[in-house]
Amino acid sequence: MNLQTGARSNGIVLGLVALVAAGLEIYAQTRAFAWDEGFHLVTAQSINRGKRPYLDFCFPQTPLNAYWNAGWMRVFGDTWRTPHAVAAVMTALAVLLTAGYVLRRFPEPGWRLGAAVAAVCSFGLNIVVVEYGAIAQAYALCLFLIVTAFLCTVAAVDREGPWSAGAAGFLACAAANSSLLTAPVAAVLLVWMLFCNRAGNRWAKLGAFAAGSAVACAPLAWLFAQGPRQTIFNVLHYNLLYRQREWSGAVSHNFGEWFAWIGSPQALMLGLLSLAGLLFIRKRSGWERAQRREFYLCAWLAVALMVHISTATPTFRRYYLLAVPFLAILACAGLYDVGSRLGSPDRPWWPVLIVSLLTGGCLAKTLIEGRDEFCWRDAEQIAAKVKEVTPPQAVLLADEPTYVVTRHVPPPGLELEDSHKLDFPPAVARELHVIPQKELDRQIKAGVFDTVEISDDDERVDKLGLRKMYAHSAKVEDYDIFWGKQSAPAKALPPR
């Protein structure tokens, strides 16, 4: 590829990624929303108030993404819009790095640009990537980290020095310290690097990889040193033992999620092209051994991630988006094989155009169908009413998105709504900073809260006696808001 052609190809890929980034930013600021991101944002706000995850409140995740969000919110504003904007950028960068790898390393020179365009569309227009790569949860940061770790590992095997290996270890373990869904990535990259090393001392690279991993794990180690029991509970025990609590259908739910790809044209096409690519590389490609090994690494990463994600109880189809960049790279090989067989090896654009249009069409259809779903604009309407009737120092019971928008400090133990399903003895609950549901109901009936926001559930409202307890109420969207206690002030919340 000469300089002029290379510059033209780079410009085309950059332009396409810029369009993807612009679309992600627009979606991030208008429609992107997930209920689970509420507690991630509450955690970031709590960190900026001087609190520590695990030690001061319950947060059943590894901590780096929370600190990442908190840092950006401190600089650019305490609002959900800040992490959304950053997430869209990180997802777009992951798409750019993936497409750049294909443009530089795809073994068929005549297909490099076409394959890179296909990678941009397969990755950047993927439905779950768009929907969840633009929110405050860890998906966007993890996508960037694992793709960058992959690139550093590929570079490390041909370099004498250990620095690329150290960077790979740091990035892969930083991803795991942002979300345990990426936990297998570090092990796969390390084994592949040691097995395929072609330059330098592999043991020095092993040491560098381990050192980089240790640096990435330092924040978690710092929290563990201050509160071993709380840290182990939040990071391990909660996820292994308590996520499925009060969910009797968690196992059957998993079966539905495992086979959800059957009903998704995008997922079917990406999966089939990836499989075709793997078979082509194995049997017919004639590529050099080093080139094939890099594509095999993509396959190992995708399989390891999907198997690991499938073992979570419950699991969700959105988790599988973490395998998309590696499947997209394999799919480029599959597209080359299929396109060459149906057409000409020197004319990639019709197969690329067909795949891109199908991928983009599926995304457009999904976004149009979901245009009326609940989003942050609706949460802001609810929060506006709550803020209107709730003084700053009042005790508020609300959903996590309302705490985020109003910036009202959640009472101790209410930072994570899902934790109310944990029924621990009082001493254990205080140590782990959770309030069991029966204790929360007792506090509500006792009039502890000055304002109560509750989802539209007449049976629960009547059971708690909220209409008799409060003088005023309002309904916004599908939520009831109660304020103006008619009884005498209740005792303060018990200390943690």
Side-chain angles (χ1 to χ4, degrees), residues 100-400:
Y101 169 82
V102 174
L103 186 62
R104 293 190 314 273
R105 310 280 286 196
F106 197 72
E108 302 294 336
W111 267 70
R112 282 177 182 166
L113 178 57
V117 170
V120 170
C121 295
S122 297
F123 185 1
L125 302 183
N126 184 277
I127 293 169
V128 288
V129 168
V130 171
E131 289 183 330
Y132 294 95
I135 62 173
Q137 288 177 266
Y139 302 113
L141 180 58
C142 286
L143 283 171
F144 174 78
L145 291 171
I146 61 177
V147 170
T148 311
F150 162 76
L151 296 178
C152 288
T153 304
V154 168
V157 298
D158 289 318
R159 294 182 179 175
E160 294 285 343
W163 299 107
S164 294
F170 172 80
L171 293 162
C173 285
N177 277 269
S178 300
S179 171
L180 287 176
L181 294 174
T182 64
V185 170
V188 172
L189 292 179
L190 177 60
V191 171
W192 186 88
M193 181 185 68
L194 295 177
F195 183 78
C196 297
N197 186 58
R198 293 186 290 271
N201 188 310
R202 60 166 45 92
W203 302 114
K205 293 179 181 180
L206 171 61
F209 193 100
S213 301
V215 173
C217 294
L220 183 60
W222 176 73
L223 292 168
F224 175 82
Q226 298 178 82
R229 177 175 168 82
Q230 295 94 327
T231 303
I232 290 174
F233 168 78
N234 280 271
V235 175
L236 295 178
H237 291 170
Y238 188 100
N239 291 290
L240 292 174
L241 304 175
Y242 298 107
R243 286 186 75 236
Q244 67 271 32
R245 187 68 67 90
E246 294 189 4
W247 192 337
S248 58
V251 175
S252 59
H253 162 87
N254 273 18
F255 278 100
E257 299 299 284
W258 293 339
F259 297 103
W261 56 272
I262 295 174
S264 169
Q266 263 196 4
L268 273 172
M269 182 169 61
L270 182 62
L272 291 174
L273 284 176
S274 300
L275 182 59
L278 188 59
L279 294 174
F280 164 72
I281 294 164
R282 178 73 178 88
K283 295 184 177 181
R284 296 186 301 275
S285 69
W287 294 347
E288 294 180 3
R289 186 180 186 187
Q291 294 173 324
R292 287 185 281 116
R293 280 181 167 180
E294 292 180 14
F295 282 82
Y296 290 151
L297 174 58
C298 291
W300 281 115
L301 286 168
V303 169
L305 283 165
M306 290 189 292
V307 169
H308 173 66
I309 288 166
S310 297
T311 63
T313 306
T315 194
F316 296 93
R317 66 193 72 181
R318 59 182 176 269
Y319 295 171
Y320 294 93
L321 72 86
L322 296 168
V324 168
F326 308 113
L327 293 173
I329 293 172
L330 284 172
C332 292
L335 184 61
Y336 168 77
D337 183 37
V338 174
S340 298
R341 286 168 172 267
L342 298 179
S344 169
D346 299 324
R347 304 182 67 180
W349 291 109
W350 278 113
V352 170
L353 181 62
I354 291 171
V355 168
S356 301
L357 289 176
L358 286 173
T359 303
C362 290
L363 173 64
K365 179 176 181 291
T366 300
L367 295 181
I368 291 171
E369 290 176 346
R371 63 186 180 276
D372 295 326
E373 292 179 357
F374 192 94
C375 66
W376 280 103
R377 183 179 62 245
D378 303 309
E380 287 174 335
Q381 294 179 8
I382 299 168
K385 183 61 180 180
V386 170
K387 193 170 183 178
E388 175 190 332
V389 303
T390 310
Q393 302 304 317
V395 183
L396 169 65
L397 174 63
D399 282 344
E400 293 136 349

